[in-house]
Amino acid sequence: MHFFGASGSKSWRFKDRIDGKVQLLAIGDYPAVSVAKARAARADLLSGMRPSQARQEARRTGLELQSRTFAALADGFLIKVAKAGRAAATAQTLGEQR
C-alpha cells in the first residue's frame, strides 16, 4: 500500500499483480480515508475481492434486467393490442416490428 503525494494531493493506492498484470487500485484520498480504512480495504483486496469485477457484474446484471423489462413491456403491449380488438393484420404488423 502506498501513500502518494503527487501535485499536492495525497491518496492511498494499492499496487497488485492480477493474472500476471500489474494493477494500481486507488483506495481513496488521505484525509477522507483514514489509515484504518485503507488497511481494511487492503485486506479485502488481498482476500480476493475485486471492486472492478463487482462493478462490471453489477452493470451486466443491470443491463440484463433492463432488457428483460423492455421485452416484458413489449409483450404486454402486444397482448393489449390484441385484446383491444384491433385488426389481426395490425397486431401482426406490430409483432413483426418488434
Side-chain angles (χ1 to χ4, degrees), residues 17-71:
R17 186 174 295 271
I18 301 171
D19 297 328
K21 295 180 182 179
V22 176
Q23 290 191 353
L24 185 63
L25 304 167
I27 296 173
D29 294 331
Y30 166 58
V33 177
S34 67
V35 175
K37 288 181 182 179
R39 287 180 180 161
R42 179 186 63 180
D44 290 342
L45 291 170
L46 288 174
S47 70
M49 185 196 82
R50 299 289 175 233
S52 60
Q53 288 178 348
R55 282 192 303 270
Q56 288 174 356
E57 290 174 11
R59 189 177 309 126
R60 193 175 306 122
T61 56
L63 290 175
E64 289 173 1
L65 290 176
Q66 287 177 355
S67 65
R68 289 182 195 156
T69 303
F70 179 76

Side-chain angles (χ1 to χ4, degrees), residues 65-84:
L65 290 176
Q66 287 177 355
S67 65
R68 289 182 195 156
T69 303
F70 179 76
L73 288 173
D75 290 338
F77 174 73
L78 292 175
I79 291 169
K80 182 180 175 182
V81 167
K83 287 183 180 179

